Amino acid sequence: MLQQLSAFVGHFHPLVVHLPIGFLSLLFTMELVGLVPRFRSLLQARWLTLAASFTSALASALCGWFLAGTSDYDTELLELHRWTGVGVAAACMLCLVFYWRNWLKLYRGSLCLTMFLLVAAGHYGGSLTHGNDFLTKQMPAELKFWVETAPSKKVDVDQAIVLTHLVQPILDAKCVSCHGPGKQNGGLRLDSFTAIQKGGANGPVIVPGDSGKSALVARVLLPPEESKHMPPAGKPQLKEHETVLLSWWIDSGASAESKVSDLEASASVYAAIEQVLGAPSLPEPLPWEQIQEQTKSLGKQLGIFIRPIAAAEPWLEVNASLRGKNFSDSGLALLAPVAGNIKRLDLGGTGVSDDGLKALGAMVHLERLDLKRTALSDKGLAHCASLQQLQYLNLYATSVTDAGLEHLKCLRKLRRVYLWQSQVKPEAAQRLAGRLEDKLFISRAQNQIKNLQQQINAAKIVVDTGVPLVQPAAASVPPKVVNKLCPVSGKPLDPNVTFSFDGQLIGFCCGKCCATFQKNPKTYLPKLEATPPAQQQSPEQEAPQQDLQQSDPQ
Amino acid sequence: MNEESFALNINRRTFLSRAAYGLGGMALASLLNRNASAALSWMGVTNPPHFAPRAKRIIHLCMAGGPSHLETFDNKPALRAIHGQVFPESYTKGQQLAQLQNTVLKARGPFVDFKRYGQSGQEISDLFPHIGSIADDICIIRSMKTEQINHDPAHAFMNTGSIVKGRPSMGSWLLYGLGAETESLPGFIVLTSAGKSGQQPVSARQWSSGFLPSKFQGILLQSKGDAVHYVGNPEGVCQSTQRQVVEEINRLNGILADDQLDPEIQTRIAQYEMAFRMQTSVPELTEFSQEPQHILDMYGVKNPGDGSFASNCLLARRLAERGVRFIQLYHRAWDHHSNIEPDMPVAARDVDQASAALIKDLKQRGMLDDTLVLWGGEFGRTPMGQGTGRDHHILAFSVFMAGGGVKGGITHGATDDLGYRSVDDVVHVHDLHATMLQLCGIDHKKLTFRFQGRDFRLTDVFGHVVKPIIA
């Protein structure tokens, strides 16, 4: 009850908190303007404003205290906000006391202190609700140098050492305060590789190659309400990408020296790495205005289809397949000036050769590449190995072999590879798929589905009468034909030609007979009865048919 | 003389009085300068496209006559249960009927069973086992709705979004908007075939370019025999002589164009060029001997070029490979007012295997990613029986789409219990048009053409993109 009451009061914090901000700002402005003799009279309102400031500051500090107890904010920031907020209320009380005792100098000093604390508390509070970077997110790039500290020396993604650059920083930020030089809860230290290997009082915390069995990851993945969940409730939690990196490091052997390029990283692991180290920068495309003329003249000169993929984008789509074998290496080489702008390239059926595909190296933004029905072999495919953005690759009817696919193993964004009528064996294609598949994403998504299924099951109502529900008679059982020979011609039946009449399914030898029958069924009905029925009908089946006939008004 | 040509004439006078060479002369000059492998002359008005296109080309498998949704993709057990009984009046009261007027309306249950196919478990009738085998690649729309209850206007509505004559077909709009990625074949090609029953005529106005310049109209290829009549040179005429003839005719046309500023003369000049290039491209296109036997078997083609739907599907794939923007196949076999039980399975057998084979073939060639396939008729058929068949029905019918940025393995929308009316996520023909244009990178509200004083579009003043089906 008390808890509920405090939560209720706490939720008024965001409402009340704006009052002291307004009152105090007003008071401060009055004091400043009041320095000019003409506006002296403003100061008569000091008492009122001061009293209002103090009461509202006290009220919002109280509400805030209650609110802090109910929710799970970033603790570090929360503490800063809590104490600066309480500071505002305290400093405000000082102002009141000093003004009451008429110690004006002290009063003015403490008012300045109040304002300072007010700005700080407001900023921390804003960061709590809107996020740390809310203020500067939309800041123009030219102004950003004001707020940004000098960029730390950027580590190249492939050269980054997994433990040093990716894993240890996570442990340092989230674990070492309790498992480090200062404190060693559970006898565990996580501030160095040897310490991690050593483990804690309960044994080792990592099992290289199996994050599922490693306590370091398992404890993090426990539901937050479990007492064994780490970090403990109220402490800063691991973010999604941090868990991904931690599990990936352990799964790939938990070595101290491995670089990113040494390990296999699926797309979502790579996304997590890029979240920490930043995406590798690709050269910017040329602005459309700059290449507009060139694009048009290339289209004319080469007789190919070349144009921006969409309005207001610099990206180009190139289709040279309409030139067939008349388009060759020399044509491809001519695309060099706009190479950095090409996202989709169709060379299907053209006369390009393995060597000519060297030109692909400059097309770093390429997403779709069609090389079907070209003279491409493994050698030419090597030029695709650096196309990191590639999503679609068509190699149908080329002489690419299993060995050629090796060139594609690092293209993490690849989602469609067409290998029909190439020399690639299905096993090799499967291997490539297995390598590029984002297993981590798939297993996470499957877990989510499982959780949802459990929720669905939990939401279902169980009613049990102890008697199984009788399914309505399956109407989908196909009715059997009643005759053996065609009533029109007397020939054997075609199983595909049937017609239901008066609730009976009648078979015919051909469509023509069927049509003849329908024109004048009465003529042929006696014939039908003359032929012996193919199957004795059970009385249960007969009954509803009779009903049906009775309901027939004709 | 109408307003526009009058304005044109004024322009011509002022223009020609000041310039020695008219527009036609310039066109001809550029024509004479270029060799047979010419650059693309028409890149479309939507250049660049409004959005990044998901589909580069569309293949419309038009099941002319209106296949019954109740025996294709819309399983209605409740209708089966009341088979032969009087159809509930609450559904039909005050609704438009085609041939069932003034008769007692009786429910006709589906005469086939449905099965669930693929991982997605889509329900498809037993008449279409091959389409069942591609269930995970197709998006079934069960909640289609149109406005026209007779064949010709309904086809016109499906093609142009209007029943008024003289409106451009969707293929023409697409060609006008995006151009084609070929110079040797027309960008909008039509093929027709017919089944053994349920045939209704389809008129050439269905692929007309309407008020758009006539170079955007659909070109009907013969499904049987020579795809284009007289495409070869007459005896004794060699290719260079033919070239000279074409150039001379174009020169003369150019003089005419110089004199009269008529866009149709430009069209004629372009068509002569196109026809000349088709003399080589068409025989190559229809050279079915390049197709291995297993591909013919996959489509179920007995004699390539025999005019069957299967042969047309194979040709459609070959057209798609050659950069044609819009390919439309009409199969006239679905107007089953009577004898639906014996006849519809025959019609289904004619298209089932080939339709599925086309999609599989596009897929193995990596072309399904950017080819949008639309399968469906101009309307559906009544859940009420009409003698031994079903009547026309506009309030509900089913189509399916595949490839080209559409989600595979989903069913969108639903009809009521008896399959009478689309009730959930209704997709009107205008919505279908808007979605198709969107997938091709065009904002359907922005592709317009000014005619008789106002801007027209394919979706007129309607159309909402069906976002849930876009991948």
Side-chain angles (χ1 to χ4, degrees):
Chain A
M1 183 62 202
L2 207 63
Q3 213 170 7
Q4 198 188 0
L5 194 70
S6 77
F8 173 70
V9 174
H11 280 217
F12 278 85
H13 179 66
L15 179 83
V16 181
V17 78
H18 296 95
L19 294 174
I21 297 175
F23 287 133
L24 280 167
S25 310
L26 179 67
L27 183 63
F28 191 67
T29 319
M30 271 165 41
E31 290 292 344
L32 283 182
V33 178
L35 290 176
V36 182
R38 208 144 58 94
F39 297 115
R40 258 280 157 62
S41 56
L42 278 177
L43 298 180
Q44 290 168 359
R46 261 179 185 161
W47 262 121
L48 177 69
T49 325
L50 194 51
S53 302
F54 174 64
T55 35
S56 58
L58 192 65
S60 59
L62 271 174
C63 294
W65 195 278
F66 289 136
L67 184 64
T70 62
S71 39
D72 39 4
Y73 292 108
D74 184 344
T75 34
E76 222 170 294
L77 210 52
L78 182 68
E79 292 309 305
L80 278 169
H81 180 61
R82 187 202 301 267
W83 293 113
T84 43
V86 169
V88 171
C92 209
M93 192 172 73
L94 279 182
C95 293
L96 200 67
V97 172
F98 291 143
Y99 185 67
W100 175 50
R101 303 304 300 266
N102 212 12
W103 298 341
L104 280 185
K105 270 192 185 155
L106 279 173
Y107 159 72
R108 289 204 177 103
S110 45
L111 184 59
C112 287
L113 176 71
T114 317
M115 287 311 287
F116 173 76
L117 287 169
L118 183 72
V119 170
H123 176 69
Y124 293 134
S127 299
L128 265 182
T129 47
H130 298 295
N132 263 329
D133 55 347
F134 182 73
L135 264 184
T136 50
K137 210 186 274 174
Q138 302 297 329
M139 192 180 241
E142 302 85 57
L143 297 176
K144 277 236 163 128
F145 69 93
W146 285 98
V147 288
E148 261 170 23
T149 47
S152 55
K153 214 176 126 230
K154 209 173 157 186
V155 191
D156 187 51
V157 169
D158 283 338
Q159 290 309 307
I161 296 162
V162 179
L163 177 67
T164 326
H165 294 111
L166 296 167
V167 173
Q168 195 61 56
I170 302 170
L171 301 176
D172 287 348
K174 306 277 165 86
C175 314
V176 166
S177 60
C178 299
H179 300 289
K183 268 201 255 175
Q184 294 95 39
N185 286 1
L188 177 66
R189 280 180 71 156
L190 294 173
D191 54 337
S192 73
F193 182 58
T194 40
I196 298 169
Q197 275 185 314
K198 206 172 123 223
N202 296 334
V205 289
I206 55 168
V207 181
D210 192 346
S211 63
K213 290 201 181 115
S214 307
L216 190 61
V217 172
R219 296 283 288 265
V220 169
L221 291 178
L222 281 176
E225 56 273 14
E226 293 264 346
S227 63
K228 292 200 161 179
H229 173 81
M230 282 287 151
K235 298 276 172 167
Q237 298 296 310
L238 264 72
K239 301 226 168 65
E240 171 104 11
H241 73 272
E242 294 174 329
T243 336
V244 167
L245 289 175
L246 210 55
S247 340
W248 173 60
W249 174 64
I250 296 175
D251 283 334
S252 2
S255 107
E257 284 94 27
S258 297
K259 291 177 184 163
V260 171
S261 55
D262 299 336
L263 307 180
E264 277 181 33
S266 67
S268 50
V269 170
Y270 215 75
I273 297 172
E274 285 183 356
Q275 216 166 331
V276 179
L277 299 176
S281 56
L282 288 172
E284 291 283 315
L286 298 170
W288 168 238
E289 294 74 32
Q290 207 174 317
I291 54 164
Q292 190 168 11
E293 286 310 312
Q294 206 153 16
T295 306
K296 279 187 185 150
S297 67
L298 273 173
K300 267 197 198 124
Q301 185 189 349
L302 297 169
I304 57 174
F305 184 90
I306 172 168
R307 74 162 162 213
I309 289 174
E313 281 184 22
W315 307 113
L316 295 178
E317 168 181 12
V318 179
N319 178 1
S321 70
L322 61 154
R323 283 279 81 86
K325 297 290 173 206
N326 295 327
F327 186 87
S328 62
D329 296 346
S330 55
L332 190 59
L334 284 176
L335 294 174
V338 296
N341 289 60
I342 300 177
K343 263 196 178 175
R344 300 179 179 180
L345 177 62
D346 187 349
L347 298 173
T350 59
V352 291
S353 75
D354 281 345
D355 289 332
L357 291 178
K358 241 194 336 254
L360 294 179
M363 302 183 185
V364 286
H365 291 286
L366 210 56
E367 289 178 357
R368 285 181 62 100
L369 177 60
D370 201 330
L371 291 168
K372 64 175 175 244
R373 305 201 315 271
T374 57
L376 176 80
S377 74
D378 294 347
K379 194 166 143 244
L381 204 56
H383 299 300
C384 299
S386 59
L387 301 175
Q388 280 299 333
Q389 305 300 313
L390 208 59
Q391 296 169 13
Y392 168 106
L393 181 60
N394 196 335
L395 303 174
Y396 126 64
T398 58
S399 40
V400 171
T401 70
D402 294 359
L405 290 193
E406 286 297 302
H407 298 304
L408 308 178
K409 67 181 183 191
C410 290
L411 303 182
R412 292 181 192 88
K413 297 203 171 152
L414 209 52
R415 282 298 166 267
R416 297 203 181 311
V417 186
Y418 293 96
L419 296 163
W420 187 52
Q421 292 189 348
S422 70
Q423 308 296 315
V424 176
K425 295 194 184 61
E427 302 77 40
Q430 277 309 316
R431 256 203 314 280
L432 178 73
R435 270 198 85 134
L436 293 177
E437 197 173 64
D438 196 342
K439 294 187 196 74
L440 190 75
F441 177 85
I442 293 172
S443 73
R444 281 172 168 247
Q446 277 166 345
N447 277 337
Q448 282 177 5
I449 294 174
K450 221 186 278 169
N451 288 340
L452 280 175
Q453 191 57 51
Q454 280 165 5
Q455 288 178 29
I456 291 172
N457 291 344
K460 278 187 178 159
I461 300 171
V462 176
V463 282
D464 198 342
T465 57
V467 181
L469 187 67
V470 183
Q471 291 292 331
S476 61
V477 175
K480 293 255 165 64
V481 287
V482 296
N483 54 328
K484 262 186 179 163
L485 295 170
C486 176
V488 182
S489 68
K491 286 180 192 161
L493 303 180
D494 177 347
N496 290 313
V497 187
T498 56
F499 174 64
S500 65
F501 183 80
D502 268 1
Q504 290 182 307
L505 194 68
I506 303 162
F508 299 91
C509 66
C510 59
K512 260 187 195 164
C513 285
C514 180
T516 323
F517 175 84
Q518 283 166 31
K519 270 179 208 146
N520 208 348
K522 296 230 167 82
T523 329
Y524 301 104
L525 269 183
K527 270 197 181 182
L528 187 70
E529 276 146 20
T531 60
Q535 185 201 355
Q536 202 67 46
Q537 290 201 326
S538 59
E540 292 95 333
Q541 269 177 320
E542 210 107 40
Q545 281 166 359
Q546 278 163 3
D547 285 347
L548 212 138
Q549 279 167 13
Q550 280 157 11
S551 71
D552 190 335
Q554 284 185 333
Chain B
M1 184 178 274
N2 67 29
E3 227 177 76
E4 202 182 355
S5 62
F6 181 68
L8 268 176
N9 227 15
I10 301 273
N11 287 342
R12 179 181 64 82
R13 280 188 197 150
T14 46
F15 180 68
L16 289 183
S17 64
R18 279 168 204 176
Y21 302 99
L23 217 61
M26 287 194 274
L28 186 72
S30 72
L31 212 155
L32 290 177
N33 282 340
R34 63 189 182 183
N35 54 22
S37 68
L40 291 164
S41 57
W42 179 258
M43 296 278 281
V45 287
T46 316
N47 183 15
H50 303 128
F51 324 107
R54 307 292 302 270
K56 285 190 89 156
R57 58 195 85 79
I58 295 180
I59 301 177
H60 178 198
L61 305 178
C62 181
M63 299 297 122
S68 156
H69 53 294
L70 304 159
E71 273 97 12
T72 50
F73 303 111
D74 204 359
N75 188 16
K76 290 294 159 196
L79 182 65
R80 201 190 296 270
I82 62 160
H83 175 77
Q85 297 173 23
V86 175
F87 200 78
E89 202 195 9
S90 57
Y91 285 82
T92 55
K93 198 164 185 187
Q95 295 298 323
Q96 190 185 13
L97 294 165
Q99 299 175 12
L100 283 176
Q101 291 166 36
N102 309 320
T103 56
V104 177
L105 300 175
K106 282 199 281 179
R108 168 179 269 283
F111 66 88
V112 285
D113 290 324
F114 280 70
K115 270 198 203 72
R116 293 194 173 274
Y117 288 94
Q119 286 192 331
S120 51
Q122 301 219 78
E123 265 188 307
I124 295 169
S125 102
D126 286 351
L127 297 181
F128 299 92
H130 288 93
I131 291 176
S133 71
I134 52 162
D136 292 336
D137 291 316
I138 66 175
C139 162
I140 296 172
I141 303 177
R142 279 184 178 165
S143 51
M144 287 297 302
K145 190 182 168 197
T146 184
E147 291 178 4
Q148 290 302 316
I149 205 161
N150 285 312
H151 298 284
D152 183 69
H155 274 304
F157 197 73
M158 187 49 107
N159 273 310
T160 71
S162 165
I163 57 159
V164 179
K165 287 189 165 69
R167 296 283 163 83
S169 173
M170 51 184 166
S172 303
W173 275 114
L174 206 61
L175 203 53
Y176 171 67
L178 294 176
E181 294 182 28
T182 169
E183 270 289 89
S184 48
L185 286 169
F188 174 13
I189 285 183
V190 183
L191 296 161
T192 63
S193 55
K196 292 174 186 69
S197 62
Q199 304 166 8
Q200 283 291 337
V202 172
S203 80
R205 82 150 163 141
Q206 303 305 347
W207 46 90
S208 145
S209 59
F211 48 65
L212 290 175
S214 54
K215 66 174 166 181
F216 301 123
Q217 79 175 6
I219 303 296
L220 177 73
L221 296 189
Q222 308 298 319
S223 313
K224 228 184 225 176
D226 283 345
V228 178
H229 290 315
Y230 315 117
V231 77
N233 288 329
E235 221 170 300
V237 177
C238 64
Q239 198 68 350
S240 65
T241 319
Q242 183 78 352
R243 179 74 212 158
Q244 281 170 8
V245 172
V246 170
E247 279 181 12
E248 182 59 18
I249 294 171
N250 279 351
R251 189 182 69 81
L252 293 172
N253 274 333
I255 293 170
L256 191 65
D258 210 2
D259 187 45
Q260 299 170 9
L261 206 61
D262 180 353
E264 287 303 299
I265 302 176
Q266 305 302 335
T267 296
R268 181 48 60 95
I269 292 174
Q271 298 300 59
Y272 267 102
E273 277 297 322
M274 172 66 76
F276 179 73
R277 285 192 293 272
M278 282 170 74
Q279 286 196 295
T280 47
S281 66
V282 168
E284 191 271 336
L285 168 75
T286 51
E287 184 54 54
F288 285 107
S289 62
Q290 296 167 358
E291 297 291 334
Q293 189 59 39
H294 69 268
I295 292 291
L296 298 182
D297 293 344
M298 180 177 165
Y299 282 83
V301 177
K302 290 185 192 80
N303 295 304
D306 62 0
S308 65
F309 179 75
S311 169
N312 283 354
C313 278
L314 183 59
L315 194 58
R317 192 215 80 216
R318 292 175 69 87
L319 288 165
E321 284 178 316
R322 283 159 180 75
V324 177
R325 188 69 75 187
F326 195 92
I327 303 152
Q328 203 165 31
L329 268 59
Y330 287 88
H331 186 67
R332 304 186 289 115
W334 299 97
D335 195 23
H336 297 123
H337 288 280
S338 58
N339 292 344
I340 190 166
E341 293 189 23
D343 289 349
M344 191 173 166
V346 178
R349 222 174 310 153
D350 284 346
V351 300
D352 176 39
Q353 184 180 354
S355 305
L358 174 63
I359 287 165
K360 285 180 194 163
D361 201 11
L362 289 170
K363 195 177 175 185
Q364 68 190 358
R365 282 161 212 264
M367 290 172 68
L368 192 61
D369 291 289
D370 55 8
T371 306
L372 178 66
V373 180
L374 169 67
W375 189 105
E378 69 272 34
F379 45 53
R381 304 207 81 87
T382 49
M384 301 84 79
Q386 180 188 16
T388 56
R390 297 184 186 276
D391 197 3
H392 304 170
H393 193 58
I394 58 173
L395 294 176
F397 65 108
S398 305
V399 301
F400 79 74
M401 290 168 121
V406 168
K407 284 179 194 162
I410 63 162
T411 301
H412 181 80
T415 51
D416 56 31
D417 278 353
L418 300 182
Y420 185 83
R421 190 190 291 268
S422 297
V423 285
D424 288 343
D425 300 320
V426 179
V427 178
H428 192 280
V429 170
H430 294 306
D431 304 330
L432 189 70
H433 287 158
T435 311
M436 289 165 78
L437 289 181
Q438 171 96 10
L439 290 167
C440 291
I442 296 175
D443 180 345
H444 71 105
K445 291 180 183 162
K446 289 191 189 153
L447 179 63
T448 61
F449 187 85
R450 177 149 290 204
F451 178 64
Q452 291 179 337
R454 87 141 158 120
D455 286 338
F456 283 87
R457 30 181 254 228
L458 175 59
T459 51
D460 202 1
V461 295
F462 309 99
H464 296 281
V465 174
V466 188
K467 295 217 172 94
I469 68 166
I470 297 179

